């Protein structure tokens, strides 16, 4: 039986030089193109080592944030949904994925109303959670939930704390029963039916980890999280994320992942 984090394929997009001008909420040092590229290469290698077939799309200089390919689309089984990213500079990104998604998926549809980012969508074994955020509004979340419902997929809309960019900035599945989440999300009621493991204090950004098959890709700069996962006997793959972190990004946002075993 395939689990929600059993994947066979992924799409990534290589960073363009314009990535250094990507969106970010705070100040801090600028990201560097070479360093982002190195982190991206390590990430792609980790996906391949986890058993995935990876298709790398060419850079798009007109879209500085297009390396974060999870946000403009949602994929599951036979279906791909071209979303409507909530940041105006990213609204043109879904159209750039249409051809590749038509190639891989039989059912490709567009979100027609509101705004929704892929970073706000968490697939759990029971349901698909859609987080309301500065990028995903209620009209977009409801339209997305309808598209999913039409395909027999149960969606639930949840709140994301105001200072969190995306739902998945602050949570990820560790296994089929367990979610790893920043404490700010714990009281949201989002994780009903799942066990909750909270991020260690000061390591909230570690919540954006990525379970793929039998491995967990996790940011390498959070020692207490690495210890916590090691104590759970998880097979961990620590990855550098300092540069993409300067762009408010983590590990989930760098790929679209799916299983062609589950699709029928
Ligand atoms: C943005 O603000 O849209 C990008 N700089 C970062 C997107 C990160 N995406 C994600 O966590 N799913």
């Amino acid at each position: 039986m395939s689990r929600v984090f059993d994947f066979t394929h992924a799409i990534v997009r290589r960073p363009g030089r314009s990535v250094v001008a990507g969106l970010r909420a705070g100040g801090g040092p600028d990201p560097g193109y070479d360093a982002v590229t190195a982190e991206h290469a390590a990430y792609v290698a980790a996906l391949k080592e986890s058993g995935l077939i990876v298709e790398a799309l060419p850079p798009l200089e007109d879209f500085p944030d297009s390396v974060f390919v999870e946000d403009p689309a949602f994929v599951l089984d036979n279906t791909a949904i071209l979303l409507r990213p909530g940041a105006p500079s990213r609204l043109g990104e879904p159209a750039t994925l249409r051809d590749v998604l038509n190639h891989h998926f039989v059912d490709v549809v567009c979100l027609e109303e509101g705004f929704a980012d892929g970073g706000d969508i968490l697939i759990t074994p029971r349901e698909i959670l859609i987080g309301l955020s500065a990028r995903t509004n209620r009209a977009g979340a409801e339209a997305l939930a309808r598209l999913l419902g039409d395909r027999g997929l149960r969606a639930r809309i949840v709140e994301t704390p105001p200072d969190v960019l995306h739902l998945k900035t602050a949570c990820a599945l560790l296994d089929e029963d367990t979610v790893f989440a920043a404490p700010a999300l714990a009281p949201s009621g989002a994780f009903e039916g799942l066990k909750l493991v909270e991020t260690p204090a000061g390591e909230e950004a570690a919540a954006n980890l990525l379970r793929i098959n039998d491995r967990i890709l996790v940011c390498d700069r959070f020692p207490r999280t690495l210890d916590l996962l090691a104590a759970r006997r998880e097979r961990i793959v620590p990855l550098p994320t300092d540069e993409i972190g300067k762009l408010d990004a983590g590990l989930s946002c760098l790929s679209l992942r799916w299983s062609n075993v589950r699709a029928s």
Side-chain angles (χ1 to χ4, degrees):
M1 184 68 181
S2 182
R3 302 165 297 180
V4 291
F5 43 75
D6 283 334
F7 300 114
T8 57
H9 289 71
I11 290 171
V12 299
R13 186 178 292 285
R14 291 201 299 275
R17 291 204 165 267
S18 63
V19 71
V20 299
L23 295 171
R24 49 190 175 141
D30 292 342
Y33 167 72
D34 289 338
V36 172
T37 300
E39 287 182 1
H40 194 260
Y43 179 84
V44 171
L47 293 184
K48 290 181 178 171
E49 281 159 22
S50 305
L52 272 57
I53 297 168
V54 180
E55 179 163 354
L57 303 175
L60 291 176
E61 296 299 349
D62 288 347
F63 295 103
D65 285 298
S66 56
V67 64
F68 306 119
V69 73
E70 173 181 71
D71 292 322
F74 171 79
V75 297
L76 179 64
D77 300 341
N78 293 310
T79 296
I81 302 177
L82 294 166
L83 299 171
R84 285 175 47 80
S89 65
R90 305 198 63 186
L91 199 49
E93 289 183 31
T96 71
L97 292 171
R98 186 184 296 274
D99 287 350
V100 70
L101 295 179
N102 273 326
H103 177 73
H104 288 288
F105 296 87
V106 291
D107 175 37
V108 180
V109 290
C110 295
L111 185 70
E112 303 285 3
E113 289 168 57
F115 297 100
D117 276 20
D120 281 314
I121 309 171
L122 178 72
I123 302 171
T124 81
R126 294 161 47 108
E127 59 191 351
I128 298 171
L129 299 177
I130 306 172
L132 298 173
S133 72
R135 301 289 178 87
T136 296
N137 64 9
R138 190 163 286 278
E142 288 178 351
L144 176 58
R146 281 195 298 276
L147 286 176
L148 295 170
D150 291 346
R151 287 156 180 80
L153 300 165
R154 183 184 129 143
R156 183 158 61 95
I157 298 171
V158 299
E159 299 284 342
T160 307
D163 52 343
V164 172
L165 176 61
H166 287 124
L167 176 66
K168 279 188 291 190
T169 305
C171 66
L173 276 193
L174 282 183
D175 59 38
E176 289 225 285
D177 305 314
T178 315
V179 71
F180 186 53
L185 259 185
S188 69
F191 306 125
E192 140 199 329
L194 290 165
K195 291 180 219 152
L196 178 67
V197 176
E198 290 191 5
T199 51
E203 299 196 356
E204 291 75 14
N208 186 264
L209 52 71
L210 190 54
R211 174 81 197 246
I212 296 188
N213 301 334
D214 292 325
R215 300 178 188 208
I216 293 181
L217 281 49
V218 56
C219 302
D220 65 2
R221 63 176 187 279
F222 299 116
R224 294 176 63 201
T225 298
L226 295 174
D227 286 349
L228 181 156
L229 296 175
R232 290 174 56 92
R233 299 184 179 280
E234 303 288 2
R235 190 166 175 193
I236 51 180
V237 183
L239 287 170
T241 60
D242 297 283
E243 293 301 304
I244 61 166
K246 293 173 186 169
L247 293 162
D248 303 338
L251 294 168
S252 73
C253 54
L254 289 175
S255 60
L256 284 167
R257 308 157 293 278
W258 73 97
S259 167
N260 69 352
V261 174
R262 257 195 319 269
S264 58

